[in-house]
């Protein structure tokens, strides 16, 4: 009998061959290479198809979770990597979260055009991965979680901290869960705008020609969609009526104050978008990153703001299913949640962390004053879906004239 280490090495080599060749060529090569019958039998039993090599293990584990950390780590290491979609390092301190995951578990992370991907585009990647393997996990806007379930794109997983998350912020069957949320804010380049506006009303009546932008197309990008919703709340609308927000941006465009330029950090820093309506945590992160070149100020609008959770999802056809679930456990751990707070996002487990005395006071103090958040509203999924339908139908003809 061969030593166990030798057998393990043979299995790894066989797995590599199988992942790159047809079954016929695989059988030809293993015969020529003189692999042991025991190793060949073990490989064929474990790898009945071109999989990542974890199928036999996952068949014996309840993948709906929670899974013991030692089991997750061992199997994730066998898979060898994590493929992330829509996890930009500059967003909500994902830079530290990505680095922490790799540091703890030794798994490299590959990316898929992170900075420019909307929630809708992330789901498209998941759809495509049914035939082309890329994309294990995603981070999408609240209303896109149920959409992903409806389209059959995601797998359920209830992490170890599942009970800490409010029932309204997660799928009852584990298909998605809120990791953090933000509030809509004004991110203002004060090198250009000397008197920063504090309300949507000021944006409309002030002399801000081509200065006001949002974070993409609200029919595709969740951040931009919630900017329209916030404007609705400030202009006589409600959580059940987003139309005043669409009307508002039509007026803003007619006045010449609205620009279709995206409120990226590059456009804000150059002044192409001098006043961005976007997530507070993005603006606060941009403020720190630019370090006064130019100066940025982040203000929660006094006449209306809305909260928007983001949810974690696992691709149903994830090529690295254990690495994906290990990622979920990490982002909901104390360390992962505090990294979100460091990135100025509001972590879903924030109250639990506060109660446990785990939030550093200096970290909490970096957020805008608490009183600015007094009027921030939280929409339900039904309200978001109804609002989304209205935006999809009316944004083009009423705001863009197309």
């Amino acid at each position: 009998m061969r030593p166990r280490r030798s057998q393990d090495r043979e299995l790894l080599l066989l797995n590599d061959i199988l992942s790159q060749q047809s079954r016929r060529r695989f059988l030809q090569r293993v015969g020529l290479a003189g692999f042991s019958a025991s190793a060949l039998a073990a490989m064929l039993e474990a790898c009945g198809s071109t999989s990542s090599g974890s199928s036999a293990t996952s068949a014996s584990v309840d993948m709906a979770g929670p899974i013991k950390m030692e089991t997750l780590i061992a199997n994730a290491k066998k898979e060898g990597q994590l493929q992330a979609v829509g996890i930009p390092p500059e967003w909500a301190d994902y830079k530290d979260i990505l680095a922490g995951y790799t540091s703890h578990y030794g798994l490299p992370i590959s990316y898929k055009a992170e900075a420019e991907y909307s929630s809708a585009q992330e789901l498209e990647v998941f759809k495509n991965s049914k035939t082309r393997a890329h994309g294990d996990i995603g981070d999408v806007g609240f209303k896109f979680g149920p959409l992903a379930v409806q389209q059959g794109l995601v797998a359920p997983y209830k992490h170890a901290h599942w009970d800490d998350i409010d029932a309204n912020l997660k799928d009852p069957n584990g298909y998605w869960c809120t990791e953090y949320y933000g509030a809509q804010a004004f991110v203002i380049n004060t090198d250009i705008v000397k008197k920063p506006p504090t309300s949507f009303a000021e944006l409309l009546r002030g002399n801000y020609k081509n200065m006001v932008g949002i974070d993409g197309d609200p029919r595709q990008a969740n951040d931009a969609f919630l900017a329209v919703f916030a404007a609705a709340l400030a202009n006589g609308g409600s959580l059940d009526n987003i139309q005043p927000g669409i009307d508002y941006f039509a007026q803003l465009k007619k006045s010449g104050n609205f620009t279709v330029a995206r409120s990226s950090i590059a456009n804000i820093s150059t002044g192409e978008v001098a006043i961005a309506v976007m997530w507070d945590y993005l603006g606060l992160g941009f403020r720190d990153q630019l370090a006064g070149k130019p100066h940025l100020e982040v203000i929660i609008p006094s006449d209306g703001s809305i909260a928007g959770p983001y949810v974690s999802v696992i691709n149903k056809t994830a090529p690295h299913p254990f690495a994906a679930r290990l990622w979920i456990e990490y982002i909901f751990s104390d360390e992962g949640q505090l990294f979100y707070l460091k990135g100025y996002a509001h972590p879903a487990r924030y109250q639990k962390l506060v109660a446990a005395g785990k939030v550093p006071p200096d970290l909490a103090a970096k957020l805008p004053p608490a009183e600015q958040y007094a009027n921030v509203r939280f929409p339900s999924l039904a309200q978001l879906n109804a609002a989304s339908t209205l935006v999809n139908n009316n944004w083009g003809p009423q705001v863009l004239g197309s």
Side-chain angles (χ1 to χ4, degrees):
M1 180 178 292
R2 291 174 183 252
R4 176 59 183 266
R5 182 173 296 178
S6 176
Q7 290 181 357
D8 289 347
R9 185 161 53 247
E10 287 176 341
L11 290 176
L12 289 172
L13 290 169
L14 283 165
N15 185 45
D16 180 63
I17 294 170
L18 182 59
S19 67
Q20 299 178 45
Q21 303 184 54
S22 69
R23 188 177 182 85
R24 178 179 295 176
R25 292 196 64 198
F26 160 69
L27 291 170
Q28 290 173 343
R29 284 199 57 178
V30 298
L32 291 173
F35 285 107
S36 68
S38 61
L40 177 58
M43 174 56 74
L44 290 178
E45 181 181 357
C47 301
S49 63
T50 54
S51 70
S52 63
S54 63
S55 57
T57 306
S58 62
S60 61
V61 174
D62 181 5
M63 299 298 282
I67 300 173
K68 292 182 179 179
M69 286 298 290
E70 56 265 31
T71 301
L72 275 179
I73 294 170
N75 284 281
K77 285 182 178 293
K78 292 177 184 178
E79 293 171 348
Q81 66 166 304
L82 178 74
Q83 293 179 349
V85 182
I87 311 290
E90 69 275 13
W91 182 291
D93 200 32
Y94 268 125
K95 178 181 178 180
D96 281 330
I97 297 174
L98 292 162
Y101 178 87
T102 296
S103 174
H104 282 299
Y105 311 120
L107 294 170
I109 303 174
S110 61
Y111 303 95
K112 185 71 180 174
E114 309 312 337
E116 300 302 325
Y117 264 45
S118 66
S119 296
Q121 287 173 309
E122 290 183 53
L123 296 190
E124 283 300 313
V125 173
F126 278 20
K127 286 180 185 178
N128 291 336
S129 66
K130 292 178 180 179
T131 54
R132 290 183 294 145
H134 51 87
D136 293 309
I137 49 94
D139 174 34
V140 298
F142 195 48
K143 68 188 179 74
F144 288 89
L147 182 61
V149 178
Q150 179 185 339
Q151 295 179 355
L153 299 176
V154 289
Y157 184 71
K158 293 185 178 182
H159 51 82
H161 296 284
W162 186 259
D163 291 341
D164 287 355
I165 312 300
D166 188 277
N168 294 323
L169 298 177
K170 62 188 179 185
D171 176 75
N173 297 311
Y175 284 98
W176 53 264
C177 185
T178 296
E179 324 108 304
Y180 62 93
Y181 68 90
Q184 285 293 308
F186 296 162
V187 181
I188 305 162
N189 181 334
T190 56
D191 287 3
I192 296 173
V193 182
K194 301 303 181 182
K195 185 180 179 182
T198 61
S199 68
F200 279 98
E202 288 179 67
L203 290 186
L204 187 60
R205 64 173 181 256
N207 183 23
Y208 303 120
K209 299 299 181 185
N210 293 312
M211 289 188 183
V212 184
I214 57 179
D215 195 9
D217 188 321
R219 295 167 295 184
Q220 296 291 326
N222 188 62
D223 188 2
F225 167 70
L226 270 298
V228 178
F229 220 151
L233 297 179
N235 288 274
S238 69
L239 294 177
D240 295 309
N241 181 18
I242 197 175
Q243 183 60 48
I246 301 171
D247 297 339
Y248 173 84
F249 275 98
Q251 289 181 281
L252 200 66
K253 185 172 186 292
K254 186 176 181 180
S255 73
N257 288 359
F258 180 63
T259 173
V260 294
R262 179 172 170 260
S263 57
S264 64
I265 187 171
N267 288 341
I268 292 171
S269 64
T270 61
E272 187 169 358
V273 176
I275 305 170
V277 186
M278 63 193 308
W279 294 127
D280 55 348
Y281 56 86
L282 286 182
L284 292 163
F286 292 170
R287 179 196 65 186
D288 289 358
Q289 188 175 339
L290 293 171
K293 298 179 180 180
H295 295 90
L296 298 185
E297 185 171 350
V298 179
I299 296 173
I300 309 298
S302 59
D303 50 358
S305 183
I306 197 164
Y310 275 77
V311 305
S312 57
V313 287
I314 298 175
N315 189 352
K316 184 178 181 179
T317 57
H320 312 99
F322 283 100
R325 285 157 176 80
L326 183 59
W327 168 264
I328 299 298
E329 291 292 354
Y330 182 63
I331 63 174
F332 284 101
S333 70
D334 291 354
E335 180 174 293
Q337 291 281 284
L338 287 174
F339 276 140
Y340 283 127
L341 187 60
K342 182 183 174 184
Y344 302 115
H346 307 262
R349 294 183 56 234
Y350 182 74
Q351 296 304 326
K352 293 287 184 180
L353 295 171
V354 170
K358 294 183 177 180
V359 178
D362 61 330
L363 190 54
K366 291 182 179 180
L367 292 168
E371 57 268 21
Q372 288 193 17
Y373 291 90
N375 297 320
V376 174
R377 307 288 299 280
F378 283 81
S380 69
L381 280 171
Q383 290 167 328
L384 287 170
N385 288 334
S388 180
T389 298
L390 208 60
V391 169
N392 288 341
N393 291 338
N394 294 348
W395 183 260
Q398 295 182 12
V399 178
L400 304 181
S402 61

